[in-house]
């Protein structure tokens, strides 16, 4: 092999290796990129950590239509808890504030750390579902056998497109006690 | 056919380790940096893994022979489907093509060796290490990974002790194939004989150049995805864990960003081998060389923007569904161009039907069937039925077995005489072809029916109405599996002397018009093209 | 002998492609019962025929040249190697075909996606390895497991699957829906990803943990429609079928009423005979425990411990109750079991010859007190 070629080969090899390393980084870059795409509502639904409390604004109440809001509760991995919503369905006018209570109970004799993860369907409605107060904003700690009533206050932004007539809000409780202990 | 002359003044610039023959004894195979030795190592290893993965497939088909659980536990069944796929993809098909590239690329472009010979050796041994590590998970507490080759979380995080080992093995396999790809790309870009311009390169070299770039772009992404799995499991990150604000579906996006191009990594070199063999036995130049090059590049480009067609049912907004449907449908266009071009190459040729050609023709036909089902699945609403059923199992096996595997075998038959200097036994070769081509259809065609009738994939047991086609498929599977022993026999026999017939340098009639490798002596000497060739056979301008 | 016969039948079929013997040989996609499933079927047939025609053209050309353009017939090779017009034509024609296919496909896709204006919602939760259905309007809520006889057949190796009605495709409690109503399904999962597929309805949808997905159906004809989980979800992925029964509104209303009555009735906590406890315990075991601890109580080495001979099982009753109610990081909590179910299954695992334990006692429902205790 010619000396020049050997040098050229090494250089090209090195450059390609740099590309490979950059692509490894790109794999990680897909994570925030995914959030961006989700925000554009192009690929996916909202990510839970993107949901924050929104200050109460005085919307004009749209009496002309009613939206059926459904509430669902799920326990991940049969977490030893009781978790339910005060009601499964509620008819609301966009612009009107409502508070819905959720009940949770730790059924074990030890403390528990759990996190409720919200999810919307149709996913595109999540931006119009504005929460003023929610137990899902942070991790919840339960004393042994503790029962909690957890209010969730929300409004549907009147900008909600008219085609949406039913919206489901689902909460899944994940038992994070083990992770919390390890941390 | 044109001849190009270039000056040659490199005669006395031989590299040291090119001055003598191979090392004596077994150590030769460990330390070798010779592209032919390493090519042989890759090919032998790939063939061995083909039989290992094949044995797993036989276990799967035996369990599915009739309804009821017969031989294995459901968990072990899941491990088998997972390991079968991983071993076949990363242990058999990909290494086999790297092996072919090692052997053929330097000889086809008139280079003395690969660009980075020492890295070449290392990438092979990393491959062996990766596969051994993967295989060792079979004996670990909790069993080998059983969440499918796609390693979807959260399921894959339920793997027992094997999880970190499986992930490290993916890292090793990834590094190995990235190194292999870098080497091949560097060889093609830097080491061509001066007279070998890009648009004179044989199609096999072109397809590998594009595949090399694909690999460099996607293997690191896969490595990243499995690293995230690792940190999710052991270091409290939550990329894919909803409990911590992550999303399991994100993994699927990252995986298929790798996974879809990955299937093209396995098919583009296959296209290259077909484009090499068909013209020789049709005694006609390849039809539409430049459109072949452009179609290959187009397929590679599209490969990056269609990934979520594997995820139509995952719950995407309508805009995503439609976009990925349209983009996927587009792939059919360049793929169609390739098939039409091969057909036109055969048209009005003077065909003969030696074993490599038989395999190539059946490749064109059966790959097209796989392409048809691919097109059907690209229709998102229809995929709501097809997805994760046996229909898709049939689809990808048609694109992998009678396509990739058949063309690897065709390549074996085609080049073995050049490599060894001996002719293989044509009778047994043809027997191998007919048995394989018939049984592969008995094996996979009924799986279309099963999927359409509602049988999900990756299940160890099934409802009674699926019995008959499963039994037929299993019978086809056993025949196919057994037939491959013929290939093993032929390879060993040919290396040992074959028919005893002395082959000429060009082996196949007028082959020298089609590729540089046929201008070399048979068997090829240990070192070739220490001086770049000056006459480039080129049948397409 | 049976095997040989079947093998022979299979071989015959293979050779002659003749439809013989018992089962019906479904070859094509099922049309299904809903409008959407019919539309999908039409799409499927459209693409299939397009592929068949292209196939005939391409393969016909290949076989024509194999036959006529062969050297042995003395055919001389032509030398052409490109033809711009032809190449342009065979790029354009497929493009037109694709556009023609994309139009109906888009229509059907939009139809599939349109979940609004639904009349009722059902929440479907995938769990390892059964489905959980909750009717949001009426509050009906139950689990749907593989039926006992399929369960015994595939695990016990004693019952021939051919004798089991709808082997692996029947459940203990099917999903019941009224006909001609637009029903919206909301999917989620409590552990790994599952996917809910009933081919007759025309679609499948993934159930992802922590997220919800939706889909809809409206079934015009009463009937029983069967399906399966289609996303690999672990060991018993093959054993979590779906059965949907569509009935007239009147029948459905009755069903809701009786189901709710049963659901809201207090469990019968009166004492039971040993045999009753054992029989009930066996059903509870088959639904909830068998996937991991196996039908013979031997567990799976390295994954799930054996109940056979386990000190925890045969030892004190109270710790055992607490353990089952609380669960551990590796085993789910069974707090969902009613006292009578818990009593029965505890009696069963302590005394069943199938499990291989013989304590010689019976635990009555009254003996169950809520003790919930963490194992760790
Ligand atoms: C015309 C070209 C092709 C099209 C339009 C196409 C389309 C598709 C689609 C839509 C799927 C997803 C199906 C589902 O999961 O529901 C799929 C799966 C798959 N395809 Fe293709 N395909 C094509 C060619 C190929 C080729 C050339 C290969 C490989 C060499 C291939 C290998 C696979 C594999 C391995 C899977 C399944 C992966 C898995 O889920 O495990 N396909 N294809
Ligand atoms: Cu793909
Ligand atoms: Cu499943």
């Amino acid at each position: 092999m010619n000396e020049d070629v050997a040098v050229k080969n090494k250089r090209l090899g090195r450059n390609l290796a740099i590309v490979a390393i950059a692509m490894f980084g790109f794999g990680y870059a897909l994570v925030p990129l995914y959030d961006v795409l989700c925000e554009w509502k192009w690929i996916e639904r909202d990510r839970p950590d993107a949901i924050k409390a929104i200050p109460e604004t005085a919307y004009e109440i749209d009496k002309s239509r009613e939206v059926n809001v459904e509430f669902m509760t799920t326990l991940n991995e049969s977490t030893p808890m009781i978790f339910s919503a005060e009601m499964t369905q509620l008819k609301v006018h966009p612009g009107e504030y409502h508070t819905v209570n959720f009940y949770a109970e730790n059924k074990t004799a030890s403390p528990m750390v759990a996190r409720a993860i919200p999810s919307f369907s149709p996913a595109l409605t999540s931006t119009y579902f504005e929460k003023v107060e929610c137990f899902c904003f942070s991790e919840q700690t339960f004393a042994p056998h503790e029962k909690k009533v957890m209010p969730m206050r929300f409004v549907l932004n009147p900008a909600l497109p008219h085609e949406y007539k039913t919206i489901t809000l689902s909460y899944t409780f994940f038992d994070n006690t083990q992770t919390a202990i390890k941390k | 056919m044109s001849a190009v002359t270039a000056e040659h003044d490199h005669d006395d610039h031989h590299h040291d380790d090119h001055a003598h023959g191979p090392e004596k004894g077994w150590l030769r195979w460990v330390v070798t940096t010779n592209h032919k030795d390493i090519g042989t190592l890759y090919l032998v290893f790939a063939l061995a893994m083909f039989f290992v993965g094949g044995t797993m497939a036989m276990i799967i088909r035996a369990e599915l022979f009739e309804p009821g659980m017969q031989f294995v536990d459901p968990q072990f069944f899941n491990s088998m489907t997972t390991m079968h796929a991983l071993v076949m993809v990363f242990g058999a098909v990909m290494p086999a093509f790297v092996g072919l590239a090692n052997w053929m690329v330097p000889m086809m472009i008139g280079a003395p060796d690969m660009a980075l010979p020492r890295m070449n050796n290392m990438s092979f041994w990393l491959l062996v290490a990766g596969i051994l590590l993967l295989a060792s998970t079979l004996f670990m507490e909790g069993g080998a990974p059983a969440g499918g080759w796609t390693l979807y979380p959260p399921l894959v995080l339920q793997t027992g002790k094997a999880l970190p080992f499986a992930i490290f093995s993916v890292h090793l396999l990834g590094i190995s194939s990235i190194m292999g790809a870098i080497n091949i790309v560097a060889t093609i870009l830097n080491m061509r004989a001066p007279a070998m311009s890009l648009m004179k390169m044989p199609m096999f070299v072109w397809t590998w150049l594009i595949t090399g770039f694909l690999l460099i772009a996607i293997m690191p992404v896969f490595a990243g995805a499995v690293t995230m799995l690792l940190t999710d499991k052991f270091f409290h990150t939550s990329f894919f864990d909803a409990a911590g604000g992550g999303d399991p579906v994100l993994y699927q996006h990252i995986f298929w960003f790798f996974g879809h191009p990955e299937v093209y990594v396995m098919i583009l070199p296959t296209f290259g081998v077909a484009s090499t063999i068909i013209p020789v036995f049709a005694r006609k130049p390849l039809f539409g060389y430049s459109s072949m090059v452009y179609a290959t590049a187009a397929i590679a480009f599209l490969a990056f923007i269609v990934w979520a067609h594997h995820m139509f049912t995952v719950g995407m907004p309508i805009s995503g569904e439609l976009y990925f449907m349209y983009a996927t449908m587009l792939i059919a266009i360049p793929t169609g161009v390739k098939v039409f071009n091969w057909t036109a190459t055969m048209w009005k040729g003077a065909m003969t039907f030696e074993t490599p050609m038989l395999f190539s023709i059946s490749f064109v036909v059966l790959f097209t069937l796989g392409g048809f089902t691919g097109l059907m699945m690209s229709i998102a609403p229809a995929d709501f039925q097809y997805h994760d059923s046996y229909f898709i199992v049939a689809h990808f096996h048609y694109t992998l077995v009678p396509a990739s595997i058949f063309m690897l075998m065709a390549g074996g038959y085609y080049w073995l005489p050049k490599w060894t200097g001996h002719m293989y036994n044509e009778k047994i070769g043809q027997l191998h072809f007919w048995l394989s081509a018939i049984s592969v259809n008995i094996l996979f065609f009924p799986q279309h029916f099963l999927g359409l009738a509602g049988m999900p994939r990756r299940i160890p047991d099934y409802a009674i109405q699926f019995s008959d086609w499963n039994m037929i498929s299993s019978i086809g599977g056993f025949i196919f599996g057994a037939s491959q022993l013929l290939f093993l026999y032929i390879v060993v026999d040919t290396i040992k002397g074959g028919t005893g017939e002395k082959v000429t340098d060009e082996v196949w009639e007028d082959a020298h018009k089609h590729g540089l490798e046929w201008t070399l002596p048979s068997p090829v000497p240990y070192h070739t093209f220490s001086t770049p060739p000056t006459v480039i056979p080129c049948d397409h301008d | 002998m049976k095997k040989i016969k079947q093998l022979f039948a299979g071989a015959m079929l293979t050779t002659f492609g003749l439809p013989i013997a018992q089962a019906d040989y479904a070859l094509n996609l099922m049309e299904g019962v809903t409008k959407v499933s019919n539309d999908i079927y039409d799409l499927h047939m459209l693409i299939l025929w397009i592929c068949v025609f292209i196939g005939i053209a391409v393969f016909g050309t290949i076989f024509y040249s194999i036959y006529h353009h062969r050297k042995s017939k003395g055919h001389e090779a032509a030398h052409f190697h490109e033809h711009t017009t032809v190449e342009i034509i065979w790029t354009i024609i497929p493009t037109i075909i694709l556009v023609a296919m994309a139009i109906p496909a888009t229509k059907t896709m939009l139809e599939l996606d349109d979940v609004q204006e639904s009349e009722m919602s059902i929440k479907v939760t995938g769990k390892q390895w059964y489905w959980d259905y909750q009717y949001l309007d009426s509050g009906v809520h139950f689990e749907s497991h593989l039926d006992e006889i399929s369960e015994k057949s595939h695990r016990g190796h004693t019952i021939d699957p051919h004798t089991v009605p709808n082997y692996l495709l029947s459940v203990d409690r099917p999903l019941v829906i009224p006909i001609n109503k637009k029903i919206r399904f909301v999917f989620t999962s409590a552990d790994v990803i599952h996917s809910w597929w009933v081919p007759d309805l025309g679609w499948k949808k993934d159930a992802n943990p922590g997220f919800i997905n939706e889909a809809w159906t409206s079934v015009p004809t009463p009937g029983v429609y069967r399906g399966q989980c289609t996303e690999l979800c672990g060991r018993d992925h093959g054993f979590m079928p779906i059965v949907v029964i569509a009935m007239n509104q009147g029948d459905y209303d009755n069903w809701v009423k009786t189901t709710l009555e049963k659901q809201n009735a207090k469990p019968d906590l009166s004492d039971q005979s040993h045999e009753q406890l054992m029989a009930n315990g066996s059903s509870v075991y088959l639904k909830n425990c068998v996937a991991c601890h196996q039908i013979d109580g031997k567990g799976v080495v390295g994954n799930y411990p054996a109940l056979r001979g386990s000190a925890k099982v045969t030892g004190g009753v109270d710790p055992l109750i607490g353990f089952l109610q609380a669960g551990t990081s590796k085993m789910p909590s069974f707090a969902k079991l009613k006292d009578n179910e818990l009593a029965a299954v505890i009696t069963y695992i302590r005394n069943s010859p199938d499990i291989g334990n013989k304590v010689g006692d019976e635990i009555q429902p009254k003996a169950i007190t809520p003790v919930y205790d963490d194992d760790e």
Side-chain angles (χ1 to χ4, degrees), chain B residues 73 326 349 385-386 461 509, chain C residues 44 71 75 106 167 204 235:
Chain B
D73 167 85
Y326 301 144
Q385 291 279 35
Y386 309 140
D461 194 5
E509 189 185 315
Chain C
H44 162 79
K71 198 179 170 207
H75 192 270
T106 306
Y167 178 60
K204 60 179 66 70
R235 172 179 204 93

Side-chain angles (χ1 to χ4, degrees), chain B residues 65-69 73-75 78 141-142 146-148 152-155 158 242 246-249 252 282-291 313-315 318 321-322 325-326 329-330 332-333 337 339-341 343-344 346-353 361 364-365 368-369 372 375-376 379-389 442 449 451-469 471-472 475 509 539-541, chain C residues 2-3 6-7 10-11 13-14 21-30 37 40 43-44 47-48 51 54-55 58-59 61-66 69-72 75-83 86-87 90-91 94-95 98 101-102 105-106 108-110 112-113 128 154 157 161-162 164 167-169 191-193 195 197-206 208-211 213 228-239 294 300 302-303:
Chain B
F65 184 74
E66 54 177 359
M69 295 301 299
D73 167 85
Q75 185 73 12
N78 292 344
E141 197 183 314
Y152 280 4
L155 181 61
Q158 294 181 348
D247 185 346
V249 171
Q252 300 182 23
R283 291 173 183 72
K284 239 181 100 225
L286 180 67
F287 185 88
Y289 172 88
S290 34
S291 66
T313 64
V314 88
I318 185 78
E321 303 270 359
L322 291 177
M325 169 167 87
Y326 301 144
M329 290 170 78
L330 286 181
I333 297 168
V337 166
V339 172
F340 299 144
N341 282 354
T343 309
M346 289 186 254
W347 184 252
K348 289 202 191 293
M351 278 193 270
T352 53
F353 304 96
I361 295 174
V364 177
V365 174
T368 306
L369 285 185
F372 285 154
L375 180 63
M376 295 172 77
I379 306 294
D383 192 60
F384 273 69
Q385 291 279 35
Y386 309 140
H387 178 66
D388 269 351
S389 76
I442 302 176
F449 307 146
L452 295 175
M455 179 167 161
R457 70 192 282 206
R458 294 168 166 163
I459 55 173
D461 194 5
Y462 47 80
I464 307 299
Q465 72 256 38
F466 304 131
S467 307
D468 299 290
W469 292 122
M471 186 175 291
I472 292 164
I475 293 170
E509 189 185 315
D539 53 14
H540 55 257
D541 53 13
Chain C
K2 210 182 94 244
K3 258 198 191 139
Q6 287 184 347
L7 222 156
L13 250 174
T14 317
Q22 7 68 313
D24 54 306
Y25 294 89
L27 296 182
N28 202 353
L29 186 67
M30 29 186 115
S37 73
I40 289 177
L43 266 181
H44 162 79
I47 328 161
L48 186 63
C51 289
I54 301 176
V58 174
F59 303 156
T61 315
I62 293 177
F63 288 113
Y64 182 91
S65 24
I66 289 177
H69 306 151
R70 51 167 77 211
K71 198 179 170 207
S72 59
H75 192 270
E76 289 276 336
H79 285 285
F80 64 88
H81 56 74
E82 58 192 2
H83 194 296
V86 170
E87 288 177 66
W90 71 38
T91 315
T95 313
L98 288 181
M101 275 162 49
T106 306
T108 310
M109 195 61 233
L110 291 170
L112 260 168
D113 191 63
Q128 285 177 321
H154 84 82
H157 306 280
H162 294 90
V164 179
Y167 178 60
L168 299 187
L169 288 181
D191 34 57
V192 301
I193 302 170
S195 188
W197 183 29
V198 178
D200 277 315
L201 304 187
W203 47 261
K204 60 179 66 70
K205 200 81 186 186
D206 290 6
N208 298 315
F211 293 88
N213 265 334
Q228 277 177 277
C229 176
T230 52
E231 178 64 54
L232 179 59
C233 56
R235 172 179 204 93
D236 280 357
H237 163 57
F239 307 107
Q294 305 300 303
V300 179
N303 281 312

Side-chain angles (χ1 to χ4, degrees), chain B residues 149 256 263-264 310 374 377 383 387 392 395-396 399-400 457:
Chain B
W149 80 284
W256 288 114
V263 305
Y264 282 95
H310 296 269
M377 297 187 311
D383 192 60
H387 178 66
I392 128 161
H395 158 69
F396 65 76
T399 58
L400 288 170
R457 70 192 282 206

Side-chain angles (χ1 to χ4, degrees), chain A residues 45 70 72-78 88 107 109-110 119 121-122 163-166 168 170, chain C residues 116-117 121 123 136-137 184 186 188 190-191 208 210-214 326 332-333 372 374:
Chain A
R45 55 208 137 208
E70 297 176 335
M72 282 182 184
T73 53
T74 309
L75 290 169
N76 193 56
E77 307 251 334
S78 332
T88 50
K107 295 193 78 174
S110 13
S119 174
S121 192
E163 73 222 54
Y164 297 116
K165 304 206 165 77
T166 305
T168 306
S170 143
Chain C
Q116 292 302 317
E117 314 276 0
S121 299
K123 178 190 180 206
L136 286 196
D137 54 350
R184 177 165 165 274
V186 182
T188 187
D191 34 57
N208 298 315
F211 293 88
I212 55 177
N213 265 334
E214 55 188 354
S333 140
Y372 294 110
D374 256 329

